[in-house]
Amino acid sequence: MATSTLDRPAGGTTALRGPVRRLSAWLHRHAGVRLAALLTAPLFWLVIAYLGSLAVLFVSALWTVNGFTGEVVRQPTLDNFRTIVTDEVYRTVALRSVGVAAGVTVIDTLIALPMAFYMAKVAKPRHRRWLVVAILTPLWASYLVKAYAWRVLLANGGPVDWLFGGPGSGPGYGLGATVLVLAYLWLPYMILPIYAGLERLPDSLLEASADLGARAGRTFRAVVLPVVVPSVIAGSIFTFSLSLGDYITVQIVGGKTQLIGNLVYVNIGAANNLPFAAALATIPVLIMVVYLVAVRRSGALEEL
Amino acid sequence: MRTGRNLTALAAVGLLALTGCGDGGTATGGSGPGGIKPPRIDKLAALGAGEGQVNVVAWAGYVEDGSTDPKVDWVTDFEKQTGCQVNVKVAGTSDEMVTLMKTGEYDVVSASGDASLRLIYGGDVAPVNTDLISNYKDVFDGLKLKQWNSVDGVAYGVPHGRGANLLMYRTDVVKPAPTSWGAVFDANSPYKGKITAYDSPIYLADAALYLMKHQPELGIKNPYALDDKQFAAAVDLLKKQNEQIGEYWSDYTKEVQAFKAGNSVLGTTWQVIANLATADKAPVEAILPEEGATGWSDTWMVSAKAKHPNCAYRWMDHIISPKANAAVAEWFGEAPSNKLSCAETADKNHCATYHAEDESYFEKVWYWNTPVQQCLDGRTDVKCKDYAAWTQAWTTIKG
């Protein structure tokens, strides 16, 4: 091999010396192998770790569990899905989870829009970095600590009650508290994409709009909104999917509320019924697929 | 909705028949629930030399070697004396314990009553030769050879400790003081939204226990053996209770905080929670209501596939020895299983607080048990609801 390379008459022999150079030359001549080497690792990740685990999820959703010994029975049946479709409680919980996810997304959008606009367009450029740091700070603290802190804030006679005027006047623990705490937890994931989107919007466009006689409202609708919509959708994918899968916050401040995540959790933890939990877990997967397709239809993903 | 559940039940019945638990399902012979027999596994005949280590699955707080708190350590001395290095895996739930024991990598487990039968009939644990456990003779008789730690008079483990699920209330809010579980099942309760209940399918037994006393026509003999009609009655009772519930609790810090703040004023509890709340100056009282209560009793069991059986036996003997048993009972907050432990506790009132020596108290306690299709109360003419059905019903109750 080595001699054959050196014996080659044309093309700088010095440059081709050494195994690395030889390999690169060989790869240069074999485009297919080059592509395969480049893509094997990511494809391996995508297929095995990502699609593979999803496939296992769907397959195990077709199994059942022997109620007595807890052994998984590997015989395909649609029983799990039949239970989910026919039993009213699963429909109720699925709808409730979608409602919570949508509520959190709307609240986060309403809070994030003015905040991100201020950060990107109003605040002095040298302050922006610090504002981004301030938005990121809550992410440094543990999720659990924040959720338990909210449990104390929302307690009977706690600070939230006091804001609403006396013990028992606040929302207490329940669905409202769940939406509130989730909205707090995921807010940075909405602010940052919107901020990134607005930062790309040149100030000159806003000035041009003003020069042409547009008022603030018109400028917002005609100039800012088209730029910001894809960012909001990007943020909503975070807030929506994170809320849809959450089960810890609702356990801590949800009172007696249960969401899809809780049902998955109890079926794995308490019932040791992994197949049924897998069947339940396909609900959020389907919802997210529908959501992403809808988002794609709107053309927002291409603008990202 | 009904067809769905019937189909699930049918499927479960079919699967049970297919797998043929023990020797042919409901065939005669065994005196276990419904006459089924566990797989035949021989117990250890004689104690040999230690293997150098033992792998333990336990509840948090049961195996402390000083790493949590330097003062809390009953493992280091054991390791020095026996040469058995203790490797512990803490499990969060009974079902996790069952799953871990199925791997065959662990030698002993501190199973609660809602897991032990599954381990026995699943062939995951072996009978225990109690002659090889010198401290076994000092265990309270009320804990030996019970439905959750023995089959056909064969011991499958060593009783560890016990406790009752009590009724706790805020003395400054709940007046008059309750004496019955009726307080948490009252459809017109003045404490609506401030009642709490234990968040687990096993809580269905609490409703069944109440119905056992207050609706005798249902004929409930054992709150863990419920046929279709009895089960439906318990589920209905809990669905009505759901409207009164403020929140369900599953970890005890959450309940302590809720009672302190007043979000909860009435509901089920454990003695250890009442103690913690009182220590935090919350005005609470925990009682054993007139109907009795559900409760739990843990059992150390040895794996059928134990790689270190001799160290496992030494561990089981050690953990119920008076000193170690007293230390665990105080650290965890439970009644010890060894009669001699009460003399070894640091707090001399410990056994009195937890009613350790009060057999008449524990006679009113229905310890957690695994609900299985073969009714635990001995009925053979009906099928009882199994734990999977309990779990699905619990989801429906919470809505």
Side-chain angles (χ1 to χ4, degrees):
Chain A
M1 279 292 280
T3 46
S4 75
T5 315
L6 287 172
D7 289 346
R8 188 168 295 156
T13 45
T14 45
L16 281 168
R17 208 164 280 142
V20 175
R21 303 306 302 224
R22 259 179 286 129
L23 181 70
S24 84
W26 187 79
L27 280 176
H28 183 74
R29 274 174 279 126
H30 299 82
V33 179
R34 198 171 67 221
L35 193 68
L38 187 71
L39 289 182
T40 302
L43 269 179
F44 189 77
W45 172 256
L46 184 73
V47 173
I48 303 291
Y50 192 78
L51 294 179
S53 64
L54 268 181
V56 169
L57 181 84
F58 285 124
V59 170
S60 57
L62 298 174
W63 295 337
T64 46
V65 155
N66 181 330
F68 196 60
T69 58
E71 306 277 5
V72 172
V73 181
R74 291 184 171 80
Q75 276 168 345
T77 157
L78 287 172
D79 274 357
N80 291 331
F81 290 103
R82 203 169 291 140
T83 311
I84 290 171
V85 173
T86 51
D87 225 336
E88 197 190 341
V89 68
Y90 299 107
R91 223 173 309 146
T92 316
V93 172
L95 286 177
R96 185 186 297 136
S97 305
V98 172
V100 166
V104 169
T105 304
V106 168
I107 292 172
D108 276 349
T109 310
L110 292 179
I111 299 175
L113 271 176
M115 280 179 83
F117 189 79
Y118 178 85
M119 283 166 63
K121 293 290 157 221
V122 182
K124 291 195 181 105
R126 65 196 162 90
H127 291 162
R128 277 178 200 164
R129 199 187 323 152
W130 294 108
L131 287 169
V132 172
V133 169
I135 294 297
L136 285 173
T137 317
L139 296 180
W140 299 347
S142 155
Y143 171 115
L144 276 180
V145 171
K146 287 184 283 183
Y148 269 104
W150 271 101
R151 187 174 162 83
V152 176
L153 288 177
L154 288 162
N156 203 27
V160 175
D161 268 4
W162 175 78
L163 272 179
F164 282 80
S169 320
Y173 302 139
L175 204 55
T178 308
V179 174
L180 176 70
V181 175
L182 285 175
Y184 160 79
L185 285 171
W186 309 142
L187 185 60
Y189 297 96
M190 182 61 99
I191 294 179
L192 291 176
I194 299 182
Y195 168 74
L198 284 174
E199 222 192 7
R200 284 200 308 244
L201 174 73
D203 287 345
S204 54
L205 281 183
L206 299 180
E207 284 159 18
S209 174
D211 288 348
L212 289 168
R215 288 166 203 271
R218 179 68 199 260
T219 304
F220 183 77
R221 258 183 294 126
V223 182
V224 178
L225 210 55
V227 176
V228 110
V229 161
S231 308
V232 170
I233 289 175
S236 78
I237 293 171
F238 292 127
T239 57
F240 192 83
S241 64
L242 286 171
S243 307
L244 202 59
D246 191 80
Y247 71 97
I248 302 171
T249 293
V250 64
Q251 256 178 21
I252 295 172
V253 298
K256 56 181 178 177
T257 316
Q258 56 184 355
L259 301 181
I260 294 177
N262 301 88
L263 297 189
V264 172
Y265 177 75
V266 297
N267 274 290
I268 293 171
N272 195 28
N273 195 342
L274 214 57
F276 191 70
L280 279 169
T282 55
I283 300 177
V285 172
L286 287 178
I287 293 172
M288 277 318 287
V289 166
V290 169
Y291 187 74
L292 288 175
V293 167
V295 165
R296 214 184 87 87
R297 277 278 170 81
S298 78
L301 288 183
E302 281 95 68
E303 285 181 50
L304 271 179
Chain B
M1 188 173 160
R2 278 224 61 84
T3 35
R5 223 181 275 141
N6 288 342
L7 277 168
T8 318
L10 255 175
V13 172
L15 290 172
L16 196 68
L18 275 175
T19 47
C21 293
D23 301 318
T26 50
T28 53
S31 66
I36 54 168
K37 276 195 232 167
R40 193 180 160 76
I41 297 162
D42 289 328
K43 57 187 178 187
L44 193 68
L47 206 55
E51 294 90 350
Q53 59 172 331
V54 57
N55 299 325
V56 183
V57 178
W59 293 111
Y62 271 15
V63 184
E64 292 291 330
D65 58 2
S67 51
T68 312
D69 182 337
K71 289 194 281 293
V72 183
D73 181 0
W74 48 87
V75 172
T76 311
D77 280 347
F78 167 78
E79 288 176 340
K80 275 187 200 140
Q81 283 164 20
T82 60
C84 297
Q85 169 77 30
V86 177
N87 310 314
V88 64
K89 165 82 186 165
V90 171
T93 62
S94 287
D95 302 280
E96 202 183 329
M97 285 188 171
V98 174
T99 312
L100 286 171
M101 287 309 283
K102 282 194 189 304
T103 65
E105 286 166 25
Y106 298 92
D107 303 306
V108 272
V109 59
S110 66
S112 290
D114 53 334
S116 48
L117 281 190
R118 274 183 281 167
L119 290 169
I120 295 173
Y121 286 102
D124 300 313
V125 291
V128 167
N129 187 346
T130 51
D131 296 339
L132 302 179
I133 308 226
S134 60
N135 287 306
Y136 189 75
K137 61 179 189 311
D138 298 321
V139 170
F140 287 108
D141 290 333
L143 288 171
K144 281 180 188 168
L145 296 175
K146 291 295 167 183
Q147 207 164 21
W148 61 90
N149 59 23
S150 70
V151 173
D152 295 339
V154 175
Y156 273 83
V158 184
H160 171 89
R162 54 182 166 176
N165 300 320
L166 303 171
L167 174 63
M168 182 157 79
Y169 60 97
R170 287 266 302 214
T171 49
D172 57 339
V173 180
V174 180
K175 285 169 185 166
T179 56
S180 153
W181 285 116
V184 297
F185 293 119
D186 179 4
N188 305 305
S189 172
Y191 313 111
K192 182 175 180 167
K194 301 204 167 203
I195 294 177
T196 187
Y198 185 51
D199 189 1
S200 161
I202 209 74
Y203 184 67
L204 265 152
D206 289 56
L209 180 81
Y210 176 75
L211 292 172
M212 191 159 87
K213 298 286 149 73
H214 294 272
Q215 286 188 37
E217 67 276 12
L218 284 168
I220 299 174
K221 296 275 174 284
N222 179 329
Y224 304 98
L226 304 176
D227 62 33
D228 287 354
K229 201 176 111 214
Q230 298 162 341
F231 189 73
V235 170
D236 274 353
L237 181 63
L238 290 176
K239 275 188 178 162
K240 286 200 193 79
Q241 188 201 32
N242 179 269
E243 291 159 26
Q244 311 292 321
I245 294 282
E247 71 173 346
Y248 295 95
W249 66 274
S250 53
D251 72 294
Y252 67 85
T253 48
K254 211 171 124 182
E255 198 189 21
V256 170
Q257 192 256 337
F259 266 86
K260 252 170 69 186
N263 286 76
S264 298
V265 299
L266 187 68
T268 46
T269 195
W270 297 330
Q271 186 64 51
V272 62
I273 296 173
N275 296 351
L276 288 168
T278 312
D280 278 349
K281 302 200 167 46
V284 296
E285 186 90 44
I287 58 153
L288 184 74
E290 59 196 23
E291 294 93 352
T294 58
W296 41 268
S297 163
D298 298 337
T299 309
W300 286 98
M301 298 178 144
V302 63
S303 168
K305 298 159 229 150
K307 292 185 188 74
H308 315 100
N310 294 305
C311 273
Y313 267 73
R314 286 189 169 84
W315 169 257
M316 290 196 290
D317 195 27
H318 168 74
I319 198 69
I320 61 157
S321 65
K323 263 210 162 74
N325 196 226
V328 181
E330 280 199 287
W331 172 249
F332 187 80
E334 64 184 354
S337 61
N338 192 316
K339 288 174 199 162
L340 308 176
S341 296
C342 293
E344 301 284 345
T345 53
D347 171 11
K348 291 301 164 203
N349 286 324
H350 181 83
C351 279
T353 311
Y354 289 90
H355 303 270
E357 294 162 308
D358 190 352
E359 290 297 338
S360 62
Y361 177 90
F362 280 111
E363 264 161 30
K364 294 182 214 142
V365 174
W366 287 89
Y367 297 109
W368 281 344
N369 226 318
T370 316
V372 287
Q373 281 182 333
Q374 291 77 9
C375 299
L376 293 167
D377 59 3
R379 284 180 293 173
T380 50
D381 52 335
V382 284
K383 283 241 182 293
C384 283
K385 291 287 189 182
D386 65 4
Y387 196 65
W390 283 46
T391 309
Q392 297 221 337
W394 186 241
T395 299
T396 320
I397 289 160
K398 289 172 77 187

